[in-house]
Amino acid sequence: MFLFLSKVLDLFLAPLTWTLLLLLAGGLARGRPRLSRVLSGAGLGVLYLFSTDAVSTLLTDAVEKDARDTFQPGVTYDAVIVLGGALDPSAMERSGRLELNAAADRVLRGYDLLREGHARQVLISGGSLDTRPDPVVEADVLSRQYQAWGIAPERIVTEGRSRNTRENAVESARIIQERGWKRLLLVTSAAHMPRAAGCFAAVGLRPDTLSVDARMPATEGRRLTWVPRASALSQSTDVLRELAGRVVYRLRGWTTP
């Protein structure tokens, strides 16, 4: 039920949804011309603001500023934990090949850490939201890819049951306890790191952290523009969803500072 509600919440957190609802309300209020103009104007204003570089950058800074990296290059970790969310299952089903999304840096950095000897093993945590029989399980796909890149199978541990960040932490904690790992490194996107680290802390784990996939652009000497762009709208939407996720997780007690 929570997963279903989270998807509904995602829909209503999108500025494009707000715009469409306001324009619809404006159309329904045509009998009251002034109210109709206000609602329609508000809808277009929302679409414009969240499509600008200035607003999307401000929001991105809000979610990434608390990401703390405690990675110690001189330490050989028992395991690096790579969180799922980097796979595009629909595209992969169409192409028959590995298809990654904008969070691909999680996968690549995890591979680099193994290849460079910073971790003895990797724990790939990520299942599937697909309810059909035999869904594409992200952890299994990434395990095969790491092996294709030359990582020995015995260095790869998979967890393919989790469907969200809370479950990533719960299922990972079970495996970590079974294997007796002590020195751990958590790898995920910068925007996602505060919530992810909080979820692991809530189950009694405080791994070192390494943030990747930073979206905050360099702003020094650069003027933020107010020209609307589709990419800025997409980034604003992603950030709003992450901010809402933090609120919901905190209220449910799934994350701690």
Side-chain angles (χ1 to χ4, degrees):
M1 178 59 74
F2 175 78
L3 290 171
F4 170 76
L5 292 176
S6 70
K7 294 305 175 185
V8 174
L9 182 62
D10 277 354
L11 175 64
F12 283 98
L13 284 171
L16 184 57
T17 301
W18 304 343
T19 297
L20 293 174
L21 290 175
L22 285 166
L23 291 176
L24 176 61
L28 294 174
R30 283 179 296 181
R32 302 173 63 183
R34 184 175 179 181
L35 178 60
S36 179
R37 288 194 297 270
V38 169
L39 291 171
S40 298
L44 294 175
V46 165
L47 181 62
Y48 167 71
L49 285 174
F50 286 100
S51 298
T52 62
D53 183 44
V55 171
S56 69
T57 297
L58 179 66
L59 290 171
T60 301
D61 179 59
V63 295
E64 292 189 352
K65 67 180 181 181
D66 292 329
R68 300 285 181 264
D69 287 349
T70 57
F71 168 58
Q72 302 177 57
V75 170
T76 300
Y77 292 92
D78 292 329
V80 53
I81 307 165
V82 175
L83 296 189
L87 191 70
D88 188 332
S90 297
M92 185 171 174
E93 284 188 306
R94 290 193 300 270
S95 70
R97 301 184 299 272
L98 178 70
E99 299 285 356
L100 300 175
N101 57 31
D105 286 352
R106 303 181 190 185
V107 179
L108 300 177
R109 192 68 184 105
Y111 167 72
D112 285 341
L113 290 164
L114 289 170
R115 182 176 57 84
E116 294 166 3
H118 292 296
R120 296 182 181 89
Q121 292 183 282
V122 60
L123 171 57
I124 307 173
S125 177
S128 174
L129 294 173
D130 192 344
T131 58
R132 295 175 299 172
D134 301 319
V136 175
V137 177
E138 183 166 8
D140 295 340
V141 172
L142 297 183
S143 173
R144 292 193 293 270
Q145 188 59 52
Y146 274 16
Q147 292 177 56
W149 288 342
I151 303 299
E154 59 268 22
R155 298 182 68 192
I156 304 171
V157 179
T158 60
E159 180 286 295
R161 299 172 60 182
S162 59
R163 298 164 297 172
N164 57 32
T165 309
R166 159 70 173 178
E167 292 180 2
N168 286 151
V170 171
E171 296 297 331
S172 294
R174 176 180 55 81
I175 293 172
I176 289 165
Q177 184 177 17
E178 289 173 355
R179 292 181 173 263
W181 291 333
K182 302 298 182 184
R183 298 304 302 266
L184 302 165
L185 178 64
L186 178 64
V187 175
T188 191
S189 302
H192 186 230
M193 182 59 81
R195 181 159 58 102
C199 285
F200 275 79
V203 297
L205 296 172
R206 293 190 180 272
D208 283 349
T209 55
L210 179 59
S211 302
V212 297
D213 183 33
R215 306 290 180 87
M216 181 62 190
T219 55
E220 186 176 352
R222 172 175 171 264
R223 295 181 61 185
L224 298 178
T225 69
W226 291 91
V227 177
R229 300 180 186 277
S231 58
L233 177 62
S234 176
Q235 186 162 322
S236 294
T237 303
D238 289 343
V239 171
L240 289 169
R241 287 171 175 162
E242 176 57 35
L243 288 171
R246 294 183 188 183
V247 172
V248 172
Y249 272 48
R250 181 63 61 87
L251 290 174
R252 292 183 66 93
W254 288 352
T255 182
T256 61

